[in-house]
Amino acid sequence: MFSDGFLQCSNRKQSRRVFNLQMKRDGFSMSRFPKLAVLFIALPVLFILLLICRDERLYPIIAAGFKHDSYRLNGDKLLGGLLAPNFRKASCLSRYQSISYRKSSPHKPSSYLVSKLRDYEKLHKSCGPGTEAYKRSIKQLMSGQIDSSSKCKYVVWVAFCGLGNRILSITSAFLYAVLTNRVLLINEEPDMSGLFCEPFPDASWILPMDFPFKNQLYSFEQDYPHSYGNMLKNNTINSSMELLPSHLYLYLSHDYDHHDKLFFCDQDQIVLRKIPWLIMKSNVYFLPSLFLMSSFEEDLDKLFPDKETVFHHLGRYLFHPSNEVWKLITTYYKHYLAEVEERIGIQIRVFDNETSPFQYVMDQILTCARKEKLLPEVDMDKSVSAQYPKKISKAVLITSLIPDYFEEMKSMYLKHPTLNGEVIAVYQPSHEEEQQSENNLHNKKAWAEMNLLSLTDVLVTSAWSTFGYVAQGLGGKRPWILYKINGTIPDPVCGRGMSMEPCFHAPPVYDCKAKSEVDTATIVPHLRHCEDISWGIKLFNISQ
């Protein structure tokens, strides 16, 4: 048992449900007004508004009033240089609008990271699908030959498990591509279609449908005979070989073995550096183990002087909701979250209903919220009197596969007054009952909810959950972590995360130099064990 997606990798169902966004009905009717008259009134107004918004220099104050109340460009719509400016905005509204809904991050990318990203974009544009260089590389792939003079090498990422796992493993693969001057291509399955915008200007990261081995990628498992780990095990590849294959499979998922993990050894990278095509299957955030490798150390130190911001920067660079998903996010936000004083996100993931029964989890959430003063207590001996609705002080956004937690918390704050007089509203965008990782609609809802959680002011997440890791990283938050329940409620029930980085659940336990087992959380000062999973490792700032 590892994380959200791991539990669902072997048994998924394809059922679809309607995305119930809890949209309010305005209740206005056009029946009393002739529609033509309304049209004549509306058109001149719309024309004037258009002129105002087109020229804010003439009407800066008026124009500002028509923008979203929380619109905070502050000259940083490119996120400190993370994003390239040469995108057609209409193709991906979220790329430049997300700053309108999310507080400006205090964590700025290094100038070296910004420079590296621009260099990567140039490489991707010159070597990506559709280019002459790509076509030549495909011919060499098919012939089995290696052109050592070619500047174009590739990492092909293969999907595995739930959406949170996929986002984290894609991020890891991308950083590896940047460090090794490779182009990252995504084998996009139908269940991922329409989730993300293209991240790189004037180029696609989607593996073309006519890729030679595309129909075989689904069968790539840990025991695949042509994977790098199995070839090492069978002594069919080594650094002294003159004729190396034009492609290799890398199995970097939670159930990989010792030979697969040798990927994280500098000596093995010497071999892999010569292979034009690496086909990688992964469902873990293996990125922290790249920081154990001396061949990447200098680059990584310059890329990320602030070690707990790796996913925060790369996640916001790579993953922009498609226009369809962005509409779900912004519509829900404006209806339920925009006008409140504070937003509290609570992400609930239960992996075993027997060891973590509903009431245990509910008590854990309420105890954490009370002890850490995240939410006000209620007077259970009093009832809320029927009166004119008060202004909502705090909005609680719950994400969970089931509606039970939402219903109980909503009922509590509706029926009983808070001790401090605050008015609390509780919302839940959807409840799917079970994870359906191969369902495209399910994944769109999940992606929308990860983003909504990232827009909250305070975040509470469930231990082990990659869903929560993505939300905290995008939002730049150190969450309150609900520790895992194993038959009894833990004490303490929750704790503050010491880093906003995700946890690598299945790290190697091998010292490549000493050729012996080792606790990899003790090798470099910025890698330690995770707060929520004792054997995992994650990145921290040394000063913490």
Side-chain angles (χ1 to χ4, degrees):
M1 183 181 297
F2 289 88
S3 71
D4 302 38
F6 301 147
L7 301 179
Q8 301 295 331
C9 289
S10 61
N11 183 21
R12 302 168 179 138
K13 297 183 181 178
Q14 297 293 326
S15 60
R16 285 180 173 269
R17 296 180 177 86
V18 177
F19 190 12
N20 177 15
L21 276 177
Q22 295 181 320
M23 296 297 296
K24 293 181 178 178
R25 302 298 184 187
D26 294 337
F28 292 104
S29 171
M30 293 293 291
S31 59
R32 295 188 180 183
F33 300 94
K35 294 182 180 179
L36 190 60
V38 172
L39 183 64
F40 281 130
I41 295 172
L43 281 176
V45 175
L46 290 173
F47 181 71
I48 293 170
L49 294 184
L50 179 63
L51 290 177
I52 291 173
C53 293
R54 284 184 62 185
D55 196 345
E56 296 180 36
R57 295 170 300 174
L58 296 178
Y59 304 98
I61 298 176
I62 301 175
F66 294 112
K67 292 189 176 183
H68 188 271
D69 289 342
S70 61
Y71 198 61
R72 296 179 294 265
L73 274 181
N74 295 331
D76 194 30
K77 66 179 180 180
L78 301 181
L79 305 182
L82 273 181
L83 306 183
N86 50 330
F87 273 97
R88 191 168 60 87
K89 295 181 181 179
S91 66
C92 183
L93 297 174
S94 65
R95 188 185 311 277
Y96 303 121
Q97 288 183 7
S98 62
I99 190 67
S100 311
Y101 297 85
R102 185 176 287 128
K103 290 181 179 178
S104 295
S105 173
H107 308 284
K108 304 304 178 185
S110 68
S111 59
Y112 188 69
L113 173 59
V114 171
S115 174
K116 271 285 195 178
L117 292 177
R118 299 296 87 81
D119 290 343
Y120 174 84
E121 290 162 1
K122 293 175 184 175
L123 178 67
H124 198 110
K125 185 176 180 179
S126 63
C127 295
T131 63
E132 290 302 316
Y134 176 83
K135 294 173 184 176
R136 288 194 298 270
S137 295
I138 290 293
K139 288 180 180 179
Q140 292 162 16
L141 172 65
M142 294 301 294
S143 69
Q145 298 177 348
I146 296 178
D147 180 3
S148 57
S149 65
S150 175
K151 69 173 183 177
C152 299
K153 292 184 173 65
Y154 302 85
V155 176
V156 176
W157 177 87
V158 180
F160 191 24
C161 290
L163 184 60
N165 299 70
R166 297 183 190 193
I167 289 173
L168 296 179
S169 64
I170 289 173
T171 306
S172 303
F174 175 70
L175 180 57
Y176 178 70
V178 170
L179 292 169
T180 57
N181 295 312
R182 291 179 179 271
V183 169
L184 174 65
L185 298 177
I186 302 299
N187 181 45
E188 184 182 66
E189 300 287 352
D191 52 49
M192 290 181 65
S193 176
L195 267 67
F196 311 116
C197 300
E198 290 278 2
F200 313 126
D202 304 317
S204 176
W205 71 340
I206 304 301
L207 185 71
M209 293 298 295
D210 59 357
F211 181 72
F213 310 129
K214 190 169 178 66
N215 292 333
Q216 302 171 27
L217 295 180
Y218 74 94
S219 62
F220 171 32
E221 300 293 345
Q222 198 276 333
D223 58 355
Y224 194 70
H226 299 294
S227 72
Y228 181 62
N230 285 318
M231 292 180 73
L232 285 175
K233 192 184 302 182
N234 297 324
N235 295 315
T236 56
I237 192 170
N238 58 63
S239 58
S240 62
M241 290 178 60
E242 292 185 7
L243 294 176
L244 291 168
S246 59
H247 70 285
L248 275 177
Y249 289 85
L250 301 171
Y251 191 81
L252 300 178
S253 293
H254 68 281
D255 57 346
Y256 61 168
D257 66 14
H258 167 71
H259 289 90
D260 296 316
K261 295 175 186 178
L262 294 177
F263 167 85
F264 297 108
C265 293
D266 289 298
Q267 186 66 30
D268 291 79
Q269 286 297 322
I270 295 174
V271 180
L272 296 175
R273 200 172 294 132
K274 301 174 184 178
I275 310 297
W277 289 87
L278 298 177
I279 300 172
M280 177 187 293
K281 190 168 190 176
S282 176
N283 62 354
V284 291
Y285 187 64
F286 66 80
L287 183 152
S289 283
L290 299 178
F291 284 76
L292 293 170
M293 303 169 70
S294 58
S295 56
F296 299 147
E297 182 178 3
E298 183 179 352
D299 252 1
L300 288 171
D301 281 344
K302 290 191 291 184
L303 286 168
F304 304 104
D306 186 349
K307 295 297 185 290
E308 74 164 302
T309 63
V310 181
F311 180 74
H312 179 57
H313 291 321
L314 296 184
R316 292 182 305 148
Y317 172 74
L318 290 171
F319 302 106
H320 303 280
S322 66
N323 286 353
E324 178 186 354
V325 177
W326 186 239
K327 185 176 181 180
L328 296 177
I329 295 165
T330 55
T331 301
Y332 197 90
Y333 185 93
K334 290 173 183 176
H335 273 76
Y336 300 107
L337 305 177
E339 302 301 327
V340 300
E341 297 172 9
E342 187 177 31
R343 304 156 195 86
I344 296 95
I346 303 179
Q347 181 261 334
I348 305 168
R349 183 67 165 98
V350 176
F351 296 100
D352 188 335
N353 290 323
E354 291 187 6
T355 59
S356 305
F358 166 77
Q359 198 56 53
Y360 280 24
V361 178
M362 192 73 242
D363 291 344
Q364 180 188 31
I365 294 167
L366 295 177
T367 302
C368 178
R370 183 184 72 252
K371 284 189 173 181
E372 305 302 339
K373 302 187 185 308
L374 307 180
L375 289 170
E377 295 185 62
V378 298
D379 189 340
M380 300 299 289
D381 296 325
K382 294 182 180 179
S383 299
V384 174
S385 57
Q387 54 182 302
Y388 189 80
K390 297 181 179 179
K391 179 177 174 60
I392 296 172
S393 306
K394 296 180 178 180
V396 179
L397 178 74
I398 291 178
T399 65
S400 172
L401 290 172
I402 63 173
D404 306 47
Y405 305 102
F406 156 71
E407 290 171 355
E408 179 148 331
M409 186 176 287
K410 179 181 179 181
S411 176
M412 181 180 75
Y413 280 112
L414 275 177
K415 293 179 179 179
H416 306 284
T418 60
L419 295 181
N420 63 2
E422 288 183 328
V423 178
I424 309 299
V426 184
Y427 306 109
Q428 180 174 351
S430 73
H431 47 86
E432 294 288 279
E433 302 296 339
E434 60 186 17
Q435 188 168 340
Q436 305 163 57
S437 300
E438 291 184 342
N439 184 316
N440 183 250
L441 180 60
H442 174 89
N443 285 333
K444 286 177 179 175
K445 287 186 274 187
W447 180 222
E449 292 182 11
M450 288 178 193
N451 279 274
L452 284 168
L453 285 172
S454 77
L455 301 179
T456 58
D457 302 300
V458 178
L459 184 59
V460 180
T461 62
S462 295
W464 297 28
S465 176
T466 56
F467 193 108
Y469 293 162
V470 172
Q472 73 193 41
L474 293 177
K477 296 175 175 61
R478 296 178 184 171
W480 296 96
I481 303 169
L482 298 168
Y483 297 131
K484 196 170 185 297
I485 296 175
N486 284 307
T488 58
I489 299 177
D491 185 16
V493 295
C494 66
R496 189 71 182 271
M498 296 302 294
S499 167
M500 58 187 172
E501 271 290 295
C503 178
F504 181 10
H505 288 184
V509 289
Y510 184 70
D511 187 328
C512 300
K513 295 178 181 178
K515 298 188 183 303
S516 61
E517 287 193 2
V518 68
D519 181 355
T520 46
T522 63
I523 296 177
V524 294
H526 42 268
L527 276 180
R528 302 179 199 167
H529 286 298
C530 309
E531 306 95 335
D532 59 331
I533 184 166
S534 60
W535 58 86
I537 61 173
K538 66 187 292 186
L539 289 160
F540 291 79
N541 280 327
I542 299 174
S543 59
Q544 294 169 4

